[in-house]
Amino acid sequence: MVFTSESVSEGHPDKICDQVSDAVLDKVLESDPMGRVACECFATTGMIVVGGEIGTNTYIDLPRLVRQVIEDIGYTDPALHFEASSVAVINVINGQSSDIDMGVSTGGAGDQGMMFGYACRETDEYMPTPIYYAHKLVKRLADIRKNEPSLIPYLRPDSKAQVSVQYENGKPVSIPAVVVSTQHAEVDLNGRPVTNDRIKVDIIEKVIKTVIPEHLLSPDIIYHINPTGRFVIGGPHGDTGLTGRKIIVDTYGGRAPHGGGAFSGKDPTKVDRSAAYAARFIAKNLVAAGVADECTIQLAYAIGVKEPVSVHVHTNGTGKVSNTEIANYLTKNVDLTPEGIITQLNLRSPIYRETAAYGHFGRHHFPWERLDLTEQFTSALL
């Protein structure tokens, strides 16, 4: 069986929007931890629209904040037709609906819906192999562009990667195909023309082979590097961007179900975000505790209601105890109310902009990646 996942870089149009939305959220939370934020962005040639519903007394210099995010990503060249100092920032932000506030202010969920969390033993980060390496590839491209530009002296911010993994008996054994598309200048920093053959050699040798262990690279691996033959026009000038359009990139690369709700730009009273983090937290701790080798958690909520309407566990036949027993234990012993999740994971802190590129899961410094519950789960379930 072969399974494939993709990731996109921080310079991808959708990811620009995610990062701006989360930068707005962080700016509110810095001064107002109880602020309510639902911030969405749309980016295209020369402009970005920032809208949504925000409830706070905090002042934000929105144009300055947006331009700083765009500059940090690397859009500083006017030739890209989307450049930090000149981009038009259009503000269409409104206040939060009082009808929603009625339910949230009493501790209820900010919306209905179902959220999923997942963990497995394939990597040290308890993440599936395909999405793990897809993230690392686009992060490597960004690190070279920002920190070692002479190594590949023609990279631009927009890029995508896709990794296909061959499984045998449920274990990853090789990678038969890798796709990388990276935006590039027509000439490099030294004035030399940038050809597709040159890009292919550089990406294979300086990106792919430095990220993916040699033992995983199939002897017959197929590389698709900028397969159209040219990727000069990119970023919001080449394709519009929207907040929340890369939800599978943000989570598990398609290996686990997704409830459909995006994360970026939403404060933690929105269970689309906070309950997805809680579900990952629980799934990872169950796997780390040895309760299962693979685990999917589903949580579901009704708007304005504190307790989840359901808790579902699926261990794909790897559980040491039954799925029902695990679910019953979680329902009785883990606080899954929105406020309980927020408190447990300290989600009113301004930690969100960093989540908006290279995945929300599998990076140890995020609070939902901690292993606080392993001893509890081992003691109670094994």
Side-chain angles (χ1 to χ4, degrees):
M1 180 191 80
V2 177
F3 193 88
T4 301
S5 296
E6 76 153 348
S7 183
V8 300
S9 73
E10 63 199 66
H12 185 280
D14 296 332
K15 280 290 148 201
I16 295 171
C17 292
D18 285 344
Q19 289 166 91
V20 169
S21 293
D22 273 337
V24 172
L25 171 61
D26 281 352
K27 200 66 176 177
V28 170
L29 294 178
E30 282 177 11
S31 303
D32 182 8
M34 302 302 289
R36 304 275 176 75
V37 178
C39 180
E40 318 285 346
C41 297
F42 165 80
T44 188
T45 302
M47 65 178 286
I48 185 165
V49 180
V50 185
E53 299 78 45
I54 296 181
T56 184
N57 292 321
T58 299
Y59 171 73
I60 298 175
D61 185 342
L62 190 67
R64 182 176 180 180
L65 177 64
V66 171
R67 291 187 177 117
Q68 185 62 60
V69 173
I70 294 168
E71 180 180 335
D72 292 345
I73 293 169
Y75 283 96
T76 56
D77 183 351
L80 300 177
H81 301 283
F82 185 86
E83 186 266 331
S85 66
S86 62
V87 66
V89 180
I90 301 173
N91 181 348
V92 287
I93 293 172
N94 296 298
Q96 186 184 57
S97 161
S98 59
D99 292 348
I100 295 175
D101 179 69
M102 287 173 58
V104 176
S105 292
T106 58
D111 203 351
Q112 70 174 47
M114 62 280 191
M115 302 82 206
F116 291 88
Y118 178 81
C120 63
R121 292 192 177 278
E122 289 183 23
T123 62
D124 292 341
E125 289 73 16
Y126 298 90
M127 290 290 287
T129 304
I131 190 66
Y132 173 76
Y133 284 113
H135 284 324
K136 288 177 75 71
L137 288 173
V138 287
K139 183 63 164 61
R140 171 70 172 159
L141 284 167
D143 288 344
I144 291 173
R145 176 174 56 83
K146 291 180 171 183
N147 305 321
E148 301 179 86
S150 62
L151 188 63
I152 306 180
Y154 50 79
L155 294 177
R156 284 179 166 173
D158 195 357
S159 63
K160 305 174 77 170
Q162 190 169 279
V163 177
S164 300
V165 177
Q166 176 77 46
Y167 287 82
E168 292 181 5
N169 300 317
K171 306 293 184 182
V173 295
S174 67
I175 293 175
V178 175
V179 182
V180 175
S181 295
T182 181
Q183 186 185 14
H184 60 92
E186 297 199 64
V187 297
D188 68 16
L189 297 175
N190 302 310
R192 296 170 54 207
V194 178
T195 66
N196 207 49
D197 287 342
R198 179 183 176 191
I199 294 170
K200 186 170 184 176
V201 170
D202 282 346
I203 298 304
I204 292 172
E205 297 299 325
K206 300 173 183 178
V207 178
I208 296 172
K209 289 186 177 179
T210 66
V211 165
I212 299 177
E214 185 177 358
H215 74 274
L216 282 178
L217 296 173
S218 169
D220 302 317
I221 189 169
I222 297 171
Y223 295 112
H224 293 289
I225 311 300
N226 281 16
T228 68
R230 177 182 167 88
F231 189 4
V232 172
I233 301 171
H237 182 52
D239 189 11
T240 57
L242 288 170
T243 299
R245 199 159 58 176
K246 287 292 178 284
I247 58 177
I248 299 302
V249 170
D250 285 343
T251 52
Y252 309 100
R255 272 284 294 277
H258 198 296
F263 299 158
S264 289
K266 296 178 181 178
D267 76 76
T269 66
K270 282 74 172 175
V271 284
D272 278 346
R273 182 169 218 161
S274 54
Y277 291 167
R280 162 66 177 177
F281 180 57
I282 293 168
K284 182 177 180 180
N285 275 266
L286 286 167
V287 172
V291 177
D293 293 331
E294 179 181 1
C295 185
T296 302
I297 303 290
Q298 186 205 52
L299 305 175
Y301 292 83
I303 188 168
V305 178
K306 294 182 180 180
E307 297 290 343
V309 298
S310 69
V311 177
H312 176 80
V313 177
H314 181 56
T315 59
N316 200 26
T318 69
K320 308 301 187 294
V321 296
S322 72
N323 295 333
T324 300
E325 184 176 345
I326 298 170
N328 288 340
Y329 177 82
L330 296 175
T331 301
K332 294 175 183 177
N333 296 281
V334 179
D335 188 347
L336 295 173
T337 64
E339 195 56 46
I341 293 168
I342 290 168
T343 300
Q344 170 81 24
L345 300 179
N346 193 26
L347 296 183
R348 296 197 191 278
S349 301
I351 57 174
Y352 296 104
R353 179 178 162 189
E354 189 182 355
T355 69
Y358 313 117
H360 292 245
F361 306 119
R363 291 189 277 171
H364 296 299
H365 54 286
F366 294 143
W368 47 90
E369 296 294 320
R370 299 192 312 247
L371 296 176
D372 298 358
L373 302 181
T374 53
E375 291 185 10
Q376 175 184 337
F377 288 163
T378 300
S379 175
L381 295 169
L382 295 177

